[in-house]
Amino acid sequence: MVRPKKFLGQHFLRDANIARRIVEALEVTDPVTPVLEIGPGTGVLTAFLEEQFPTRLRLVEIDRESVDYLKTRFPALAGRMLHGDFLAMDLEEIFPEPFVIIGNFPYNISSQIFFRVLDHKNRVTQVVCMLQKEVADRIASKHGSKVYGILSVLLQAYYDIEILFKVSPGVFHPPPKVMSAVIRLKRNARKELPCDEVLFRTVVKQAFQKRRKTLRNALKHLNLPAAVSAMDLMDKRPEQLSVEDFIYLTQLLEKGEGDQV
Ligand code: SAH
């Protein structure tokens, strides 16, 4: 067996029923879309995934000991197992077409995984994953909530997000210190935002870096046009703005609205 390594965020799920439910949450109806499992570990999800997607499953696992174990347990998958770091793999090269992601994520890097998903949002059509419940709540929360933040806005701009169910620490070896939750993100119909997407990301990040300040204050080094700065909207704090509000704000900044006044 594989000895769990804390620095790799290894908490192995021991409950096959929960593993089955996670795999069943993946809604793939076509026969070709590749399925990428991040961090298969000892293969509790992999067993169900192999049954359902025998020819289009790919695995990426950073831990050499797990990879060796998986190769003996799933010899048919040996050629589709990448020993490496998901955060460093060349997704463009390996998945030039749309694909979906599944996994019990290493909790220490789940935010970084989502930033990568955003970088490839037009090819990542769905994500089903288990992660720390707090992070799941944050990602799915709407404006007005205390936990609403950068990833909530950026992910909700492109994905419909559902929290599916909670999972308690006791079903893992070793048990994590936190509750877990399984969520599903499905790419929405928006091909691109009706504003400059790079500026949108900058505005959202800058706004939440100073979440206790008003937007006027938090965004002042973006050289706000005077007319924008004077708006009532700018008295608000970032957690009060919906995704649509952030898009609108980006549009204003893009146009330099008020510059001509
Ligand atoms: N899916 C397994 C293991 C979950 S623990 C289960 O449910 O039991 C998280 C897994 O992610 C571990 O196997 C860990 O080795 C792997 N991992 C951690 N960082 C990784 C990275 N950067 N890229 C790929 N896998 C990683």
Side-chain angles (χ1 to χ4, degrees):
M1 255 324 231
V2 178
R3 197 177 43 82
K5 300 161 198 73
K6 206 174 168 187
F7 71 100
L8 291 176
Q10 289 183 337
H11 296 276
F12 298 124
L13 181 63
R14 291 178 311 171
D15 187 319
N17 280 320
I18 295 176
R20 183 200 311 273
R21 283 173 70 197
I22 295 172
V23 171
E24 282 172 358
L26 197 59
E27 293 178 356
V28 185
T29 47
D30 74 275
V32 291
T33 302
V35 174
L36 173 64
E37 185 186 359
I38 300 178
T42 54
V44 64
L45 295 182
T46 317
F48 293 103
L49 287 166
E50 189 191 32
E51 251 173 53
Q52 214 180 323
F53 309 104
T55 57
R56 48 175 157 150
L57 179 62
R58 309 285 295 252
L59 312 171
V60 58
E61 170 57 64
I62 203 168
D63 177 33
R64 160 58 63 199
E65 198 185 350
S66 293
V67 170
D68 290 343
Y69 171 82
L70 290 163
K71 281 187 174 158
T72 45
R73 183 168 171 193
F74 306 101
L77 296 177
R80 277 175 285 127
M81 218 174 273
L82 182 74
H83 173 217
D85 178 355
F86 167 76
L87 298 176
M89 74 190 276
D90 189 342
L91 289 174
E92 203 89 54
E93 155 106 29
I94 302 175
F95 300 104
E97 299 296 328
F99 67 107
V100 299
I101 290 177
I102 188 164
N104 290 344
F105 284 177
Y107 294 178
N108 49 337
I109 59 161
S110 49
S111 296
Q112 289 170 76
I113 292 175
F114 284 117
F115 280 111
R116 280 218 94 195
V117 166
L118 283 166
D119 287 337
H120 299 273
K121 61 183 183 301
N122 288 335
R123 298 197 323 291
V124 180
T125 54
Q126 194 177 152
V127 181
V128 168
C129 63
M130 177 135 69
L131 66 179
Q132 185 175 340
K133 182 178 171 295
E134 273 177 5
V135 179
D137 287 341
R138 190 164 356 123
I139 286 173
S141 74
K142 298 290 177 197
H143 66 287
S145 152
K146 270 208 174 72
V147 294
Y148 183 68
I150 296 173
L151 272 179
S152 339
V153 180
L154 298 182
L155 286 170
Q156 288 170 35
Y158 302 102
Y159 290 90
D160 296 330
I161 303 173
E162 285 167 274
I163 296 188
L164 301 176
F165 54 91
K166 290 188 287 186
V167 180
S168 3
V171 298
F172 296 90
H173 171 68
K177 290 201 174 67
V178 294
M179 278 297 287
S180 301
V182 175
I183 62 170
R184 177 169 54 214
L185 296 83
K186 288 203 258 182
R187 188 71 173 84
N188 63 21
R190 193 141 54 189
K191 262 255 155 289
E192 48 190 41
L193 300 185
C195 66
D196 180 325
E197 300 200 344
V198 177
L199 183 60
F200 174 77
R201 222 162 145 153
T202 308
V203 169
V204 173
K205 282 188 176 169
Q206 298 248 355
F208 280 104
Q209 244 144 43
K210 308 237 164 81
R211 64 183 296 143
R212 266 176 209 92
K213 298 202 172 175
T214 63
L215 290 164
R216 182 175 303 110
N217 236 315
L219 299 179
K220 69 174 171 236
H221 33 273
L222 291 179
N223 289 324
L224 297 181
V228 174
S229 187
M231 294 172 73
D232 289 348
L233 178 70
M234 303 307 282
D235 290 327
K236 296 195 175 183
R237 287 168 217 287
E239 66 262 29
Q240 295 174 281
L241 263 64
S242 67
V243 172
E244 303 307 321
D245 292 334
F246 274 110
I247 292 173
Y248 173 63
L249 179 58
T250 309
Q251 288 170 334
L252 292 179
L253 295 180
E254 220 176 310
K255 280 192 265 170
E257 202 100 310
D259 267 358
Q260 63 278 39
V261 182

